[in-house]
Amino acid sequence: MFDAILNCTRLGVTYPDHGKSVRALTDVTFEVHKGEFVAVIGPSGCGKTTLLHVLAGLLPPTSGSVERNIELEGRPRTAMVFQENSVFPWMTVLQNAAFGLEMRRVPRAERERQAMAMLERFGLAGRERDYPGELSTGMKARVAVIRAFLSGAPVLLMDEPFAALDRQRRIMAQQELEELWESQRKTVVFVTHDVDEAIQLSDRVVVLSASPGTVLAEYKVPMTRPRTLLWERDDEAFALKRRIFELLQLAPLELSASCSQ
């Protein structure tokens, strides 16, 4: 069993909004183990992004706690990849990819060598001097993922990085991410609305309820790696997809019913 690297215990987040208190998360408890790829899925507005901000240390919880078993010197503990605005528009592709290495004071020649190797690996050779405004959405997403992996952070927090891509480009980006993760086995917490994406990429799926978000269920993905795009032919995987869909459809009704009791 992997060592626990993140441990959320009865986590709650409440924030003010136009004079009212809004609960984004309530009683969220789960662990993330070293080297795991964990997907977090739930309805829109259920607090998934808020959860990532708490895990990153960007937002303090209102109640409960987050234990981070990460001790590093000279490196960030976490790196985040957002759905949009994940790359700096004033930096070239190469500078963006190498940004984390620069923050760690890696010499320029070495950081450019590492960044160029990664850019070549994922089809961005020849675009290293371009700026993000010259790239497609899919290319920018790949640059953001590369930068996160090169940051030196052992934990990567990804907030729907492929949501803006069409289906074909999204599948390609998922395959690239899966290949990169397989080669480095960093710990990943990946927020998504897409059940297929969650099952394709992750070792375990954490399902959140409608707002305020709380953990409804956790499921281990029953497939070995590497995975085929035809995984729905696997009876266990398809059954898992059905269970998650059913849970997500029932979540708002169940939560309303429990609150009225």
Side-chain angles (χ1 to χ4, degrees), residues 22-210:
V22 176
R23 283 193 302 162
L25 298 169
T26 184
D27 201 25
V28 172
T29 298
F30 72 100
E31 291 183 348
V32 179
H33 304 284
K34 185 177 180 181
E36 263 194 313
F37 196 122
V38 175
V40 177
I41 194 165
S44 296
C46 73
K48 299 186 297 293
T49 297
T50 298
L51 177 60
L52 287 191
H53 288 171
V54 173
L55 294 179
L58 301 176
L59 180 68
T62 308
S63 59
S65 63
V66 177
E67 182 182 355
R68 303 175 186 85
N69 298 313
I70 313 166
E71 294 185 7
L72 297 171
E73 292 185 7
R75 286 190 290 162
R77 294 187 297 180
T78 63
M80 289 198 70
V81 180
F82 299 97
Q83 178 178 336
E84 297 178 355
N85 303 319
S86 279
V87 291
F88 301 128
W90 60 88
M91 290 185 178
T92 66
V93 167
L94 181 60
Q95 290 168 336
N96 267 288
F99 179 74
L101 296 169
E102 183 178 3
M103 292 299 97
R104 290 162 51 197
R105 302 184 184 277
V106 174
R108 180 174 178 176
E110 176 58 19
R111 66 178 184 256
E112 290 190 353
R113 184 194 68 77
Q114 292 187 40
M116 278 303 305
M118 199 75 87
L119 292 172
E120 289 171 3
R121 179 176 180 177
F122 293 103
L124 291 167
R127 308 301 300 265
E128 63 272 11
R129 304 299 173 190
D130 291 348
Y131 287 86
E134 302 173 79
L135 303 181
S136 68
T137 302
M139 289 178 178
K140 285 187 281 190
R142 295 201 310 247
V143 173
V145 169
I146 288 168
R147 185 176 67 188
F149 271 87
L150 288 177
S151 69
V155 178
L156 307 185
L157 307 172
M158 300 189 176
D159 189 6
E160 299 193 80
F162 309 140
L165 305 185
D166 61 46
R167 179 169 175 76
Q168 182 177 356
R169 289 182 174 85
R170 187 168 187 160
I171 289 172
M172 291 174 60
Q174 290 167 0
Q175 290 176 314
E176 290 168 350
L177 174 57
E178 192 171 9
E179 179 184 338
L180 186 54
W181 177 82
E182 283 277 11
S183 69
Q184 297 192 18
R185 289 294 174 129
K186 289 180 180 286
T187 305
V188 176
V189 181
F190 188 99
V191 159
T192 181
H193 280 94
D194 190 320
V195 176
D196 286 349
E197 184 171 65
I199 295 174
Q200 175 68 39
L201 292 174
S202 69
D203 299 309
R204 189 158 46 95
V205 181
V206 177
V207 184
L208 296 186
S209 72

